[in-house]
Amino acid sequence: MTADFLITAMLAYFITFQPMKDYMNNAVQMFNEVAILLLLHFMFMFTDFNADPVDRHLYGYCFLYYVAALIAFNVLFLAVSLTRDVRRNILRCYN
């Protein structure tokens, strides 16, 4: 319950103030906060709330695929951002 409130508060902060320098960084941060909130709600499927162990096993794979997709998205964003910054700095040095 506390984690839900804190994540929602962070999401409201990112939406309201947008503390990062550019729009893309703010959008990625908001996306990550929403993803963490969804993963937090997804954790209830691993408790006795879901009585069928086969379903829990299936939800576990879905959870892992979702986490892997989030990591891949963030690594891709990091690579694109890093490439853009390096290219900009190289062009600045030669001009």
Side-chain angles (χ1 to χ4, degrees):
M1 186 71 167
T2 304
D4 287 341
F5 174 73
L6 291 175
I7 291 170
T8 306
M10 284 295 294
L11 186 59
Y13 173 75
F14 280 120
I15 290 171
T16 305
F17 295 108
Q18 296 194 356
M20 305 297 174
K21 289 182 181 179
D22 61 345
Y23 173 76
M24 197 58 160
N25 282 331
N26 286 315
V28 168
Q29 288 298 329
M30 287 185 269
F31 175 75
N32 284 335
E33 291 297 326
V34 169
I36 291 171
L37 189 62
L38 290 175
L39 286 172
L40 185 64
H41 287 287
F42 201 81
M43 295 290 282
F44 285 110
M45 298 312 264
F46 301 121
T47 63
D48 287 334
F49 177 74
N50 185 4
D52 189 16
V54 175
D55 285 344
R56 277 190 284 201
H57 192 73
L58 179 64
Y59 286 130
Y61 277 118
C62 292
F63 184 85
L64 290 176
Y65 291 144
Y66 189 67
V67 169
L70 285 174
I71 291 171
F73 171 76
N74 281 296
V75 168
L76 180 66
F77 172 73
L78 179 65
V80 168
S81 178
L82 184 64
T83 304
R84 183 188 64 204
D85 291 344
V86 167
R87 183 175 177 268
R88 186 182 320 144
N89 287 336
I90 289 172
L91 290 175
R92 189 179 300 153
C93 287
Y94 287 115
N95 289 334

XYZ file of all heavy atoms in Angstrom:
790
model
N 0.820 -1.186 0.000
C 0.000 0.000 0.000
C 0.869 1.258 0.000
O 0.598 2.192 -0.736
C -0.929 -0.047 1.212
C -1.920 1.032 1.247
S -3.126 0.740 -0.040
C -4.351 1.863 0.401
N 1.892 1.267 0.812
C 2.786 2.412 0.866
C 3.540 2.566 -0.447
O 3.716 3.685 -0.930
C 3.787 2.248 2.033
O 3.053 2.056 3.238
C 4.664 3.472 2.166
N 3.965 1.456 -1.034
C 4.683 1.522 -2.300
C 3.787 2.082 -3.397
O 4.253 2.864 -4.239
C 5.201 0.140 -2.677
N 2.518 1.710 -3.396
C 1.585 2.273 -4.379
C 1.512 3.787 -4.261
O 1.555 4.507 -5.256
C 0.185 1.696 -4.187
C 0.058 0.264 -4.637
O 0.925 -0.185 -5.410
O -0.895 -0.391 -4.210
N 1.393 4.255 -3.037
C 1.304 5.689 -2.809
C 2.584 6.400 -3.250
O 2.532 7.445 -3.895
C 1.024 5.985 -1.332
C 1.051 7.443 -1.007
C 0.022 8.271 -1.425
C 2.113 7.980 -0.309
C 0.052 9.622 -1.139
C 2.149 9.331 -0.015
C 1.122 10.159 -0.431
N 3.741 5.835 -2.898
C 5.006 6.478 -3.252
C 5.230 6.504 -4.760
O 5.700 7.506 -5.313
C 6.166 5.773 -2.547
C 6.227 5.954 -1.038
C 7.338 5.109 -0.439
C 6.411 7.412 -0.685
N 4.901 5.422 -5.432
C 5.077 5.384 -6.886
C 4.116 6.358 -7.556
O 4.487 7.063 -8.497
C 4.893 3.952 -7.406
C 6.058 3.079 -6.929
C 4.805 3.919 -8.928
C 5.869 1.606 -7.181
N 2.894 6.425 -7.071
C 1.929 7.379 -7.620
C 2.377 8.811 -7.367
O 2.231 9.680 -8.237
C 0.533 7.127 -7.019
O 0.190 5.754 -7.215
C -0.513 8.008 -7.663
N 2.954 9.069 -6.201
C 3.471 10.403 -5.898
C 4.640 10.755 -6.820
O 4.734 11.891 -7.314
C 3.901 10.481 -4.437
N 5.531 9.799 -7.063
C 6.639 10.058 -7.990
C 6.128 10.313 -9.403
O 6.633 11.183 -10.113
C 7.617 8.880 -7.996
C 8.513 8.818 -6.792
S 9.641 10.207 -6.689
C 10.662 9.920 -8.111
N 5.129 9.559 -9.821
C 4.543 9.753 -11.144
C 3.910 11.140 -11.246
O 4.091 11.836 -12.251
C 3.518 8.657 -11.416
C 2.909 8.630 -12.812
C 3.990 8.448 -13.865
C 1.898 7.506 -12.907
N 3.187 11.559 -10.217
C 2.595 12.899 -10.206
C 3.683 13.969 -10.249
O 3.531 14.994 -10.933
C 1.717 13.077 -8.971
N 4.793 13.751 -9.543
C 5.905 14.696 -9.569
C 6.496 14.811 -10.966
O 6.737 15.917 -11.459
C 6.973 14.249 -8.561
C 8.240 15.061 -8.631
C 8.288 16.346 -8.108
C 9.387 14.544 -9.220
C 9.447 17.094 -8.176
C 10.541 15.277 -9.290
C 10.568 16.561 -8.758
O 11.718 17.300 -8.834
N 6.725 13.671 -11.632
C 7.292 13.702 -12.981
C 6.342 14.352 -13.975
O 6.777 15.059 -14.881
C 7.672 12.303 -13.456
C 8.969 11.813 -12.913
C 9.014 10.667 -12.143
C 10.143 12.487 -13.159
C 10.212 10.207 -11.632
C 11.346 12.044 -12.652
C 11.382 10.896 -11.892
N 5.051 14.116 -13.828
C 4.084 14.721 -14.742
C 3.985 16.225 -14.509
O 3.935 17.006 -15.455
C 2.706 14.042 -14.594
C 2.771 12.623 -15.149
C 1.621 14.837 -15.297
C 1.533 11.794 -14.866
N 3.986 16.639 -13.250
C 3.795 18.047 -12.926
C 5.033 18.894 -13.203
O 4.955 19.929 -13.875
C 3.408 18.203 -11.441
O 2.259 17.397 -11.186
C 3.112 19.651 -11.106
N 6.196 18.476 -12.711
C 7.382 19.330 -12.769
C 8.323 19.013 -13.920
O 9.088 19.875 -14.331
C 8.154 19.243 -11.446
C 7.377 19.792 -10.294
C 6.850 18.948 -9.339
C 7.152 21.147 -10.178
C 6.120 19.450 -8.270
C 6.430 21.662 -9.132
C 5.909 20.809 -8.166
N 8.305 17.802 -14.425
C 9.205 17.349 -15.483
C 10.648 17.815 -15.220
O 11.161 18.708 -15.875
C 8.715 17.830 -16.843
C 7.385 17.228 -17.192
C 6.999 17.397 -18.630
O 7.684 18.038 -19.402
N 5.896 16.798 -18.991
N 11.305 17.191 -14.241
C 12.603 17.675 -13.778
C 13.783 17.395 -14.719
O 14.844 17.994 -14.556
C 12.798 16.930 -12.452
C 12.031 15.667 -12.634
C 10.852 16.036 -13.474
N 13.628 16.524 -15.694
C 14.740 16.205 -16.589
C 14.913 17.308 -17.643
O 14.020 18.114 -17.871
C 14.509 14.856 -17.276
C 14.254 13.725 -16.337
S 15.671 13.429 -15.301
C 15.021 12.209 -14.215
N 16.062 17.306 -18.303
C 16.367 18.368 -19.264
C 15.502 18.311 -20.518
O 15.086 19.339 -21.032
C 17.836 18.302 -19.674
C 18.784 18.709 -18.592
C 20.207 18.673 -19.083
C 21.148 19.066 -17.961
N 22.541 19.017 -18.391
N 15.267 17.128 -21.047
C 14.490 17.039 -22.281
C 13.256 16.171 -22.080
O 13.114 15.452 -21.095
C 15.341 16.529 -23.445
C 15.908 15.147 -23.208
O 15.902 14.689 -22.060
O 16.360 14.518 -24.185
N 12.361 16.268 -23.048
C 11.080 15.580 -22.961
C 11.249 14.059 -22.938
O 10.530 13.363 -22.226
C 10.193 16.001 -24.135
C 8.912 15.212 -24.209
C 7.873 15.482 -23.333
C 8.765 14.187 -25.124
C 6.698 14.758 -23.370
C 7.598 13.447 -25.177
C 6.575 13.731 -24.299
O 5.422 12.997 -24.341
N 12.203 13.541 -23.705
C 12.361 12.089 -23.824
C 12.745 11.456 -22.477
O 12.214 10.401 -22.120
C 13.405 11.773 -24.889
C 13.342 10.375 -25.354
S 11.706 10.061 -26.002
C 12.008 8.662 -26.973
N 13.646 12.092 -21.746
C 14.019 11.568 -20.423
C 12.820 11.571 -19.468
O 12.629 10.625 -18.698
C 15.161 12.378 -19.819
C 16.489 12.008 -20.409
O 16.691 10.880 -20.834
N 17.397 12.965 -20.459
N 12.022 12.630 -19.516
C 10.822 12.682 -18.680
C 9.841 11.586 -19.069
O 9.248 10.941 -18.206
C 10.155 14.052 -18.795
C 10.916 15.117 -18.048
O 11.332 14.911 -16.917
N 11.111 16.248 -18.689
N 9.675 11.363 -20.377
C 8.743 10.333 -20.832
C 9.206 8.947 -20.399
O 8.390 8.116 -19.971
C 8.612 10.394 -22.348
N 10.505 8.687 -20.472
C 11.026 7.382 -20.055
C 10.852 7.198 -18.550
O 10.488 6.108 -18.093
C 12.507 7.223 -20.487
C 13.136 6.020 -19.825
C 12.595 7.105 -21.992
N 11.074 8.239 -17.781
C 10.884 8.135 -16.332
C 9.424 7.860 -15.983
O 9.131 7.039 -15.118
C 11.362 9.415 -15.633
C 12.849 9.563 -15.615
C 13.523 8.448 -14.843
O 12.991 7.899 -13.889
N 14.720 8.094 -15.264
N 8.507 8.542 -16.680
C 7.084 8.290 -16.428
C 6.704 6.872 -16.844
O 5.949 6.189 -16.144
C 6.228 9.317 -17.169
C 6.283 10.688 -16.538
S 5.183 11.850 -17.330
C 6.272 12.550 -18.559
N 7.240 6.410 -17.964
C 6.985 5.047 -18.415
C 7.493 4.035 -17.385
O 6.810 3.058 -17.072
C 7.656 4.818 -19.766
C 7.560 3.410 -20.269
C 6.372 2.930 -20.778
C 8.663 2.572 -20.217
C 6.274 1.629 -21.239
C 8.572 1.270 -20.669
C 7.374 0.796 -21.184
N 8.682 4.273 -16.844
C 9.241 3.362 -15.846
C 8.410 3.351 -14.562
O 8.218 2.292 -13.955
C 10.686 3.740 -15.535
C 11.631 3.322 -16.625
O 11.366 2.389 -17.376
N 12.741 4.019 -16.730
N 7.924 4.503 -14.146
C 7.089 4.550 -12.936
C 5.781 3.782 -13.142
O 5.342 3.040 -12.255
C 6.794 5.999 -12.538
C 8.001 6.755 -12.042
C 8.601 6.191 -10.783
O 7.864 5.670 -9.922
O 9.826 6.267 -10.640
N 5.164 3.944 -14.302
C 3.936 3.206 -14.592
C 4.227 1.708 -14.650
O 3.453 0.886 -14.139
C 3.291 3.703 -15.905
C 2.179 2.788 -16.357
C 2.782 5.121 -15.727
N 5.361 1.332 -15.251
C 5.724 -0.083 -15.346
C 5.946 -0.686 -13.961
O 5.500 -1.813 -13.688
C 6.977 -0.237 -16.193
N 6.598 0.050 -13.075
C 6.826 -0.440 -11.715
C 5.495 -0.592 -10.980
O 5.276 -1.576 -10.260
C 7.780 0.490 -10.946
C 9.182 0.395 -11.530
C 7.805 0.148 -9.464
C 10.144 1.425 -11.001
N 4.592 0.353 -11.198
C 3.274 0.259 -10.568
C 2.520 -0.978 -11.065
O 1.917 -1.708 -10.271
C 2.478 1.532 -10.856
C 1.164 1.718 -10.124
C 1.406 1.778 -8.619
C 0.490 2.984 -10.595
N 2.585 -1.242 -12.363
C 1.932 -2.434 -12.899
C 2.578 -3.714 -12.377
O 1.882 -4.678 -12.048
C 1.966 -2.413 -14.422
C 1.082 -1.378 -15.097
C 1.312 -1.385 -16.593
C -0.374 -1.618 -14.779
N 3.893 -3.725 -12.289
C 4.575 -4.905 -11.756
C 4.237 -5.134 -10.287
O 4.121 -6.277 -9.842
C 6.086 -4.774 -11.937
C 6.603 -4.959 -13.350
C 8.084 -4.620 -13.427
C 6.364 -6.375 -13.826
N 4.082 -4.053 -9.558
C 3.718 -4.177 -8.150
C 2.326 -4.799 -7.996
O 2.122 -5.670 -7.153
C 3.767 -2.800 -7.482
C 3.532 -2.757 -5.989
C 4.644 -3.510 -5.275
C 3.479 -1.332 -5.522
N 1.399 -4.388 -8.835
C 0.059 -4.985 -8.786
C 0.080 -6.420 -9.302
O -0.727 -7.242 -8.887
C -0.929 -4.147 -9.599
C -1.286 -2.866 -8.938
N -2.105 -2.804 -7.845
C -0.917 -1.591 -9.193
C -2.240 -1.550 -7.466
N -1.519 -0.787 -8.266
N 0.987 -6.699 -10.197
C 1.117 -8.039 -10.761
C 1.598 -9.034 -9.704
O 1.334 -10.232 -9.803
C 2.107 -7.974 -11.922
C 1.999 -9.095 -12.892
C 1.030 -9.080 -13.871
C 2.876 -10.167 -12.842
C 0.937 -10.100 -14.779
C 2.785 -11.198 -13.745
C 1.808 -11.167 -14.706
N 2.311 -8.560 -8.690
C 2.864 -9.432 -7.654
C 1.774 -10.164 -6.864
O 2.026 -11.237 -6.318
C 3.725 -8.625 -6.687
C 4.964 -8.031 -7.317
S 6.169 -9.252 -7.724
C 6.872 -9.554 -6.156
N 0.573 -9.606 -6.822
C -0.515 -10.275 -6.105
C -0.881 -11.608 -6.737
O -1.466 -12.464 -6.087
C -1.757 -9.379 -6.045
C -1.628 -8.261 -5.070
C -1.515 -6.955 -5.502
C -1.609 -8.517 -3.711
C -1.382 -5.921 -4.606
C -1.480 -7.496 -2.803
C -1.359 -6.185 -3.257
N -0.544 -11.794 -7.988
C -0.886 -13.044 -8.663
C -0.009 -14.202 -8.194
O -0.291 -15.354 -8.501
C -0.769 -12.883 -10.170
C -1.719 -11.833 -10.709
S -3.376 -12.026 -10.085
C -4.123 -12.941 -11.368
N 1.058 -13.910 -7.461
C 1.940 -14.960 -6.960
C 1.577 -15.409 -5.547
O 2.204 -16.287 -4.992
C 3.394 -14.505 -6.987
C 3.874 -14.141 -8.349
C 4.353 -12.872 -8.611
C 3.845 -15.049 -9.382
C 4.789 -12.534 -9.871
C 4.280 -14.730 -10.644
C 4.754 -13.459 -10.890
N 0.579 -14.810 -4.956
C 0.173 -15.174 -3.596
C -0.924 -16.239 -3.655
O -1.280 -16.728 -4.723
C -0.353 -13.934 -2.847
O -1.520 -13.458 -3.515
C 0.703 -12.836 -2.789
N -1.476 -16.574 -2.500
C -2.563 -17.543 -2.446
C -3.874 -16.978 -2.979
O -4.878 -17.679 -3.035
C -2.757 -18.039 -1.014
C -1.645 -18.981 -0.604
O -1.047 -19.609 -1.505
O -1.374 -19.088 0.604
N -3.878 -15.708 -3.359
C -5.036 -15.129 -4.021
C -5.354 -15.906 -5.301
O -6.507 -16.073 -5.671
C -4.744 -13.657 -4.344
C -5.829 -12.963 -5.100
C -7.002 -12.598 -4.464
C -5.684 -12.667 -6.443
C -8.003 -11.955 -5.156
C -6.678 -12.034 -7.141
C -7.844 -11.674 -6.498
N -4.293 -16.372 -5.955
C -4.438 -17.217 -7.137
C -4.132 -18.649 -6.691
O -2.983 -19.009 -6.466
C -3.468 -16.759 -8.224
C -3.635 -17.503 -9.508
O -4.534 -18.323 -9.645
N -2.760 -17.219 -10.444
N -5.163 -19.468 -6.590
C -5.009 -20.792 -5.985
C -4.340 -21.810 -6.906
O -3.728 -22.762 -6.420
C -6.369 -21.318 -5.552
N -4.411 -21.640 -8.194
C -3.892 -22.635 -9.128
C -2.387 -22.441 -9.339
O -1.949 -21.397 -9.825
C -4.624 -22.521 -10.459
C -4.302 -23.658 -11.395
O -3.771 -24.683 -10.927
O -4.587 -23.526 -12.602
N -1.550 -23.432 -8.988
C -0.108 -23.288 -9.153
C 0.326 -23.197 -10.623
O 1.323 -22.558 -10.932
C 0.489 -24.527 -8.496
C -0.624 -25.356 -8.023
C -1.902 -24.662 -8.309
N -0.440 -23.795 -11.511
C -0.098 -23.718 -12.937
C -0.267 -22.284 -13.435
O 0.566 -21.770 -14.187
C -0.965 -24.705 -13.758
C -0.724 -24.556 -15.235
C -0.712 -26.135 -13.310
N -1.331 -21.637 -12.993
C -1.540 -20.235 -13.370
C -0.444 -19.339 -12.792
O 0.026 -18.425 -13.456
C -2.905 -19.750 -12.898
C -4.032 -20.279 -13.752
O -3.758 -20.766 -14.869
O -5.197 -20.214 -13.296
N -0.060 -19.611 -11.554
C 1.030 -18.823 -10.956
C 2.308 -18.985 -11.745
O 3.059 -18.022 -11.929
C 1.254 -19.234 -9.500
C 0.300 -18.554 -8.563
C 0.690 -18.791 -7.156
N 0.296 -20.165 -6.816
C 0.113 -20.604 -5.604
N 0.322 -19.825 -4.588
N -0.258 -21.842 -5.383
N 2.570 -20.196 -12.217
C 3.756 -20.458 -13.025
C 3.686 -19.674 -14.341
O 4.670 -19.068 -14.767
C 3.859 -21.960 -13.296
C 5.152 -22.404 -13.859
N 6.301 -22.465 -13.109
C 5.483 -22.807 -15.110
C 7.280 -22.888 -13.867
N 6.817 -23.105 -15.090
N 2.526 -19.661 -14.959
C 2.329 -18.913 -16.198
C 2.479 -17.410 -15.952
O 3.122 -16.704 -16.743
C 0.943 -19.212 -16.780
C 0.581 -18.490 -18.069
C 1.512 -18.931 -19.201
C -0.866 -18.766 -18.423
N 1.912 -16.918 -14.855
C 2.069 -15.509 -14.505
C 3.532 -15.165 -14.230
O 3.977 -14.051 -14.522
C 1.216 -15.148 -13.287
C -0.255 -15.042 -13.578
C -1.182 -15.699 -12.787
C -0.712 -14.296 -14.652
C -2.532 -15.607 -13.053
C -2.071 -14.202 -14.919
C -2.966 -14.857 -14.125
O -4.305 -14.762 -14.389
N 4.271 -16.115 -13.694
C 5.698 -15.892 -13.467
C 6.449 -15.673 -14.768
O 7.291 -14.781 -14.861
N 6.139 -16.473 -15.772
C 6.777 -16.267 -17.074
C 6.376 -14.927 -17.685
O 7.209 -14.215 -18.249
C 6.444 -17.408 -18.034
C 7.322 -18.611 -17.842
C 6.782 -19.833 -17.457
C 8.691 -18.528 -18.039
C 7.581 -20.940 -17.276
C 9.502 -19.624 -17.861
C 8.947 -20.827 -17.483
O 9.759 -21.908 -17.297
N 5.107 -14.577 -17.567
C 4.660 -13.280 -18.085
C 5.366 -12.133 -17.367
O 5.785 -11.149 -17.991
C 3.157 -13.139 -17.930
S 2.215 -14.249 -18.966
N 5.523 -12.273 -16.061
C 6.225 -11.264 -15.271
C 7.671 -11.119 -15.739
O 8.165 -10.010 -15.939
C 6.172 -11.677 -13.795
C 6.774 -10.692 -12.843
C 6.023 -9.637 -12.369
C 8.082 -10.826 -12.407
C 6.565 -8.731 -11.476
C 8.631 -9.934 -11.523
C 7.868 -8.878 -11.057
N 8.345 -12.249 -15.937
C 9.739 -12.206 -16.388
C 9.877 -11.622 -17.783
O 10.812 -10.865 -18.061
C 10.350 -13.605 -16.332
C 10.581 -14.163 -14.937
C 11.093 -15.592 -15.024
C 11.552 -13.297 -14.167
N 8.941 -11.946 -18.682
C 8.983 -11.364 -20.027
C 8.772 -9.858 -19.970
O 9.422 -9.101 -20.694
C 7.929 -12.005 -20.931
C 8.210 -13.436 -21.290
C 7.167 -14.345 -21.410
C 9.506 -13.894 -21.498
C 7.407 -15.671 -21.734
C 9.760 -15.217 -21.816
C 8.707 -16.101 -21.935
O 8.961 -17.406 -22.255
N 7.883 -9.420 -19.122
C 7.628 -7.993 -18.974
C 8.859 -7.274 -18.422
O 9.231 -6.200 -18.917
C 6.417 -7.784 -18.065
C 5.920 -6.374 -18.001
C 5.349 -5.776 -19.110
C 6.010 -5.640 -16.828
C 4.888 -4.479 -19.053
C 5.552 -4.344 -16.765
C 4.992 -3.769 -17.875
O 4.541 -2.485 -17.815
N 9.506 -7.857 -17.424
C 10.722 -7.259 -16.869
C 11.831 -7.234 -17.923
O 12.543 -6.234 -18.064
C 11.176 -8.015 -15.595
C 12.560 -7.592 -15.169
C 10.186 -7.790 -14.472
N 11.970 -8.311 -18.687
C 12.986 -8.349 -19.749
C 12.709 -7.280 -20.803
O 13.636 -6.627 -21.301
C 13.033 -9.730 -20.381
N 11.437 -7.075 -21.147
C 11.086 -6.040 -22.121
C 11.401 -4.653 -21.576
O 11.896 -3.781 -22.310
C 9.613 -6.147 -22.493
N 11.159 -4.438 -20.284
C 11.496 -3.146 -19.675
C 12.994 -2.898 -19.684
O 13.456 -1.787 -19.971
C 10.974 -3.091 -18.239
C 9.488 -2.902 -18.076
C 9.099 -3.025 -16.613
C 9.067 -1.569 -18.620
N 13.760 -3.926 -19.358
C 15.219 -3.778 -19.371
C 15.712 -3.511 -20.786
O 16.551 -2.623 -21.009
C 15.882 -5.027 -18.761
C 15.602 -5.090 -17.267
C 17.388 -5.026 -19.016
C 16.019 -6.391 -16.611
N 15.172 -4.230 -21.761
C 15.574 -4.011 -23.158
C 15.219 -2.596 -23.615
O 16.010 -1.931 -24.283
C 14.910 -5.046 -24.058
N 14.039 -2.120 -23.245
C 13.637 -0.763 -23.601
C 14.583 0.269 -23.005
O 15.007 1.213 -23.688
C 12.207 -0.504 -23.137
C 11.781 0.929 -23.275
C 11.465 1.444 -24.516
C 11.710 1.745 -22.162
C 11.082 2.767 -24.651
C 11.330 3.069 -22.288
C 11.015 3.585 -23.529
N 14.933 0.101 -21.733
C 15.821 1.063 -21.085
C 17.233 1.002 -21.646
O 17.885 2.041 -21.793
C 15.818 0.842 -19.572
C 14.602 1.450 -18.921
O 14.421 2.650 -18.937
N 13.752 0.605 -18.389
N 17.722 -0.183 -21.981
C 19.051 -0.296 -22.595
C 19.044 0.336 -23.978
O 19.994 1.039 -24.361
C 19.512 -1.774 -22.639
C 20.718 -1.949 -23.520
C 19.802 -2.263 -21.236
N 17.979 0.122 -24.731
C 17.863 0.739 -26.053
C 17.815 2.257 -25.942
O 18.488 2.967 -26.695
C 16.616 0.224 -26.770
C 16.365 0.791 -28.159
C 17.467 0.330 -29.119
C 15.006 0.359 -28.659
N 17.044 2.766 -24.996
C 16.997 4.214 -24.783
C 18.365 4.752 -24.396
O 18.794 5.803 -24.885
C 15.974 4.572 -23.713
C 16.020 6.017 -23.319
C 15.528 6.982 -24.175
C 16.576 6.402 -22.120
C 15.592 8.324 -23.831
C 16.645 7.732 -21.769
C 16.137 8.702 -22.623
N 19.071 4.041 -23.536
C 20.404 4.452 -23.127
C 21.355 4.486 -24.316
O 22.124 5.439 -24.482
C 20.940 3.516 -22.051
C 22.337 3.789 -21.520
C 22.373 5.112 -20.795
C 22.773 2.662 -20.614
N 21.306 3.467 -25.166
C 22.181 3.417 -26.339
C 21.877 4.551 -27.312
O 22.798 5.204 -27.831
C 22.049 2.069 -27.033
N 20.610 4.811 -27.559
C 20.235 5.895 -28.476
C 20.646 7.240 -27.904
O 21.206 8.091 -28.609
C 18.712 5.850 -28.760
C 18.248 7.110 -29.457
C 18.378 4.628 -29.579
N 20.397 7.445 -26.628
C 20.763 8.704 -25.981
C 22.273 8.909 -25.969
O 22.766 10.003 -26.248
C 20.206 8.725 -24.563
O 20.570 9.890 -23.903
N 23.002 7.853 -25.662
C 24.464 7.943 -25.636
C 25.030 8.224 -27.027
O 25.907 9.070 -27.187
C 25.049 6.653 -25.071
C 26.560 6.614 -24.881
C 26.985 7.637 -23.859
C 26.980 5.225 -24.450
N 24.489 7.545 -28.036
C 24.941 7.768 -29.410
C 24.662 9.202 -29.850
O 25.507 9.847 -30.470
C 24.247 6.774 -30.366
O 24.504 5.454 -29.913
C 24.732 6.932 -31.779
N 23.487 9.700 -29.511
C 23.138 11.079 -29.859
C 24.080 12.082 -29.195
O 24.568 13.017 -29.841
C 21.695 11.350 -29.436
C 21.208 12.738 -29.809
C 19.864 13.028 -29.205
N 20.026 13.031 -27.750
C 19.055 12.798 -26.885
N 17.855 12.493 -27.311
N 19.273 12.838 -25.590
N 24.391 11.867 -27.913
C 25.270 12.789 -27.203
C 26.697 12.723 -27.721
O 27.361 13.758 -27.863
C 25.242 12.496 -25.701
C 23.906 12.852 -25.073
O 23.127 13.595 -25.711
O 23.638 12.375 -23.957
N 27.193 11.525 -28.010
C 28.553 11.394 -28.545
C 28.646 12.060 -29.910
O 29.597 12.782 -30.202
C 28.974 9.906 -28.603
C 30.231 9.729 -29.427
C 29.180 9.367 -27.203
N 27.652 11.827 -30.758
C 27.635 12.447 -32.087
C 27.608 13.964 -31.977
O 28.320 14.662 -32.696
C 26.424 11.946 -32.862
C 26.367 12.467 -34.272
C 25.195 11.827 -35.025
N 25.084 12.351 -36.341
C 24.330 13.391 -36.681
N 23.608 13.995 -35.759
N 24.282 13.817 -37.925
N 26.784 14.486 -31.073
C 26.700 15.933 -30.875
C 28.040 16.502 -30.399
O 28.477 17.552 -30.872
C 25.601 16.256 -29.875
C 25.355 17.741 -29.737
C 24.294 18.088 -28.716
N 23.156 17.180 -28.751
C 22.487 16.808 -27.667
N 22.841 17.237 -26.481
N 21.458 15.999 -27.761
N 28.703 15.817 -29.485
C 29.993 16.303 -28.988
C 31.081 16.230 -30.055
O 31.942 17.108 -30.119
C 30.411 15.519 -27.754
C 29.587 15.896 -26.541
O 29.031 16.993 -26.472
N 29.473 14.982 -25.590
N 31.063 15.200 -30.876
C 32.050 15.095 -31.963
C 31.831 16.230 -32.968
O 32.802 16.872 -33.400
C 31.978 13.717 -32.642
C 32.530 12.654 -31.698
C 32.744 13.713 -33.959
C 32.343 11.235 -32.186
N 30.593 16.486 -33.330
C 30.308 17.568 -34.260
C 30.671 18.923 -33.676
O 31.124 19.818 -34.388
C 28.839 17.542 -34.677
C 28.407 16.390 -35.567
C 26.915 16.426 -35.800
C 29.164 16.417 -36.883
N 30.503 19.074 -32.370
C 30.858 20.329 -31.713
C 32.372 20.534 -31.722
O 32.858 21.656 -31.859
C 30.346 20.319 -30.277
C 30.476 21.678 -29.604
C 29.938 21.675 -28.193
N 28.518 21.308 -28.194
C 27.905 20.731 -27.177
N 28.585 20.435 -26.089
N 26.637 20.436 -27.230
N 33.134 19.470 -31.596
C 34.601 19.574 -31.605
C 35.135 19.969 -32.982
O 36.117 20.686 -33.084
C 35.235 18.262 -31.175
S 35.077 17.922 -29.426
N 34.500 19.489 -34.039
C 34.981 19.772 -35.391
C 34.423 21.059 -35.967
O 34.863 21.488 -37.015
C 34.667 18.596 -36.322
C 35.559 17.403 -36.066
C 35.016 16.224 -35.604
C 36.927 17.472 -36.251
C 35.823 15.127 -35.335
C 37.744 16.398 -35.994
C 37.178 15.231 -35.544
O 37.987 14.156 -35.292
N 33.488 21.688 -35.316
C 32.934 22.944 -35.837
C 33.374 24.116 -35.028
O 33.775 24.259 -34.037
C 31.406 22.906 -35.857
C 30.907 21.957 -36.935
O 31.604 21.732 -37.909
N 29.728 21.426 -36.731
